[in-house]
């Protein structure tokens, strides 16, 4: 299966929406292990588990970099 055009969005129910940046930063600091998800050549997502370091003051929303 191949995909073309605009990237697809992931459905996010309203109950799981988060808008408080400080709360999101606290969550990242407490659980600094994430998944990098990218589309594979055959359309199947590739997933890599990576540790992240949050830089709260880098950019308007903070920035993450791999440790």
């Amino acid at each position: 299966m191949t995909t073309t055009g605009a990237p697809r969005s992931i459905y996010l129910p309203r109950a799981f929406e988060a808008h408080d940046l400080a709360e999101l930063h606290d969550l990242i600091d407490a659980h600094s292990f994430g998944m990098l998800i990218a589309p594979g050549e055959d359309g199947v997502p590739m997933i890599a588990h990576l540790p992240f370091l949050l830089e709260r003051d880098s950019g308007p929303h903070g920035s993450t970099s791999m440790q």
Side-chain angles (χ1 to χ4, degrees):
M1 169 199 252
T2 59
T3 58
T4 59
R8 296 181 183 181
S9 296
I10 296 174
Y11 172 68
L12 178 62
R14 287 187 188 260
F16 297 108
E17 289 181 3
H19 301 284
D20 183 334
L21 187 59
E23 184 178 330
L24 292 170
H25 283 177
D26 291 344
L27 178 71
I28 294 169
D29 279 338
H31 307 281
S32 62
F33 193 75
M35 292 186 298
L36 176 64
I37 304 171
E41 290 182 19
D42 57 359
V44 176
M46 298 184 313
I47 302 171
H49 295 86
L50 303 167
F52 290 101
L53 173 64
L54 175 64
E55 297 177 12
R56 290 176 183 250
D57 299 324
S58 179
H61 303 290
S63 178
T64 57
S65 55
M66 290 177 266
Q67 293 179 340

